[in-house]
Amino acid sequence: MFDKAFKPFVNKQLLKRIRDPVDQCISHHLSLVKEHFPDEKVHIFYDYEMLPNRKPKFLAQTAAHVSGAAYYYQRKDVKCDPWGEKKIYGVCIHPQYGGWFAIRAILIFPEIQVPFLEQYAPVDCVTTEERRIQLLEKFNFHWQDWSYRDIIEVKERYSEEQKTYFATPPAERFKLLGLQGGMQRSEFY
């Protein structure tokens, strides 16, 4: 996504400071996908969209799990809970990419029905209790070091350039992109 979609998007588009450049890129590319289905009703929901009560329009990690795309590891997946009263958030792990992916949006085709569609369970790739505890510990208490993403052997990781971008505070990303005030074009990196 970063090299094949985001960087070319930044280099070709006039970005608006209103929204995050990654959000704008995802929105742009999904609008192109939607054009391929002119006769279908398509709803696109983005991970940053909220309902009036400030709850997300969809639960991205739950959606990944029920679709079979990635396994959503939660506290309930650990038999001997070591955290006591601490709040522990869950995290998705993909069988090939580990934690090196993001769920940015979902597309729903409300008028398409597939009564015999086979549902696939997500692949449980963090199979031991010890590794699940490590995963949840790393994600909840050390997420900034990226280590939870490598809880399994992965096929591909974010590039150093991509890691630098996402490690940069959002308010400073326009500067990193070479966009003063977020309103001008620039060559990215």
Side-chain angles (χ1 to χ4, degrees), residues 74-75 81 83 86-90 136-137 140-141:
Q74 302 173 70
R75 185 179 203 148
D81 185 329
W83 300 291
K86 289 181 186 172
K87 177 73 174 164
I88 300 296
Y89 295 95
L136 293 172
E137 294 257 338
N140 281 273
F141 308 121

Side-chain angles (χ1 to χ4, degrees), residues 65-81:
H65 186 91
V66 299
S67 71
Y71 197 101
Y72 183 34
Y73 292 95
Q74 302 173 70
R75 185 179 203 148
K76 68 182 179 86
D77 294 309
V78 173
K79 292 180 179 96
C80 298
D81 185 329

Side-chain angles (χ1 to χ4, degrees), residues 132-168:
R132 288 177 181 182
I133 291 170
Q134 281 180 341
L135 170 64
L136 293 172
E137 294 257 338
K138 287 173 183 261
F139 179 71
N140 281 273
F141 308 121
H142 308 285
W143 60 270
Q144 289 177 311
D145 72 7
W146 308 88
S147 63
Y148 80 89
R149 297 175 185 270
D150 286 317
I151 196 70
I152 63 168
E153 190 172 319
V154 297
K155 178 180 177 180
E156 190 175 341
R157 291 176 181 79
Y158 291 178
S159 67
E160 289 304 314
E161 183 178 36
Q162 186 173 2
K163 285 167 54 175
T164 298
Y165 180 82
F166 287 116
T168 301

